[in-house]
Amino acid sequence: MFGGGQERKLRPGTLPVPLIMGLAEAAKIFEAEHAQWQAAAQDLRSRLLAGLASTRFQVNGDQEHVVPHILNLSFDNVDAEAFLVTLKDLVAVATGSACTSASYTPSHVLRAMGLSEEAASNGLRFSWVPGQTTDLDVEELARGIAKLRPRS
């Protein structure tokens, strides 16, 4: 950043008051609703895992230190790109981060966590917003995943 010496030369320009007020309002809403939001996120996470119970997969990451609205799974012997095509009408799902969306290499994050190359390349990230994802049919999603044939 270049320019004036406001705030003891820490930054140039005038503080964005509307953005500051928006952040304050978001903090109020979060304070009032975060317990309900977390419970809804955890409920959807539990239903999704229960719905996939008959499918061979592994949950990636330290489950003691996760946010309840993101779930990363690796499925045995199934190409993750096939999941994207199969599930595109059911749920938004990604094989990696947005910054590597053009790359078809295994997730460097999952590899750094010690996953095999196959598990890292089959990793899928599910994420949702509780209250806005109430129409997700977990059973239909599980059926869509079950339709995929293992790779040979």
Side-chain angles (χ1 to χ4, degrees):
M1 294 175 32
F2 300 98
Q6 290 85 348
E7 298 294 327
R8 293 177 290 291
K9 298 186 182 188
L10 292 176
R11 59 159 187 84
T14 303
L15 291 172
V17 176
L19 297 179
I20 294 168
M21 295 308 297
L23 179 60
E25 188 62 27
K28 286 180 193 174
I29 292 168
F30 176 78
E31 180 66 27
E33 299 178 7
H34 79 276
Q36 177 184 352
W37 185 91
Q38 281 190 307
Q42 187 59 49
D43 175 64
L44 182 56
R45 180 187 192 88
S46 297
R47 289 189 302 118
L48 182 56
L49 288 171
L52 297 174
S54 63
T55 307
R56 289 180 40 198
F57 67 91
Q58 72 180 39
V59 179
N60 300 320
D62 179 353
Q63 297 306 293
E64 296 295 317
H65 300 94
V66 297
V67 291
H69 62 284
I70 298 174
L71 184 61
N72 191 293
L73 306 173
S74 290
F75 293 84
D76 293 345
N77 300 318
V78 178
D79 180 22
E81 295 299 321
F83 273 106
L84 295 180
V85 173
T86 301
L87 303 178
K88 68 180 173 57
D89 294 330
L90 298 174
V91 66
V93 64
T95 58
S97 65
C99 58
T100 60
S101 61
S103 170
Y104 292 104
T105 59
S107 165
H108 67 280
V109 174
L110 295 178
R111 291 290 289 143
M113 291 169 46
L115 273 67
S116 69
E117 186 156 337
E118 181 175 357
S121 64
N122 287 341
L124 289 178
R125 185 185 69 250
F126 295 84
S127 57
W128 55 91
V129 178
Q132 296 179 355
T133 318
T134 55
D135 60 344
L136 176 63
D137 185 340
V138 173
E139 289 75 24
E140 185 178 0
L141 179 61
R143 284 191 300 273
I145 290 172
K147 287 179 190 176
L148 294 170
R149 298 283 185 246
R151 290 184 303 197
S152 32

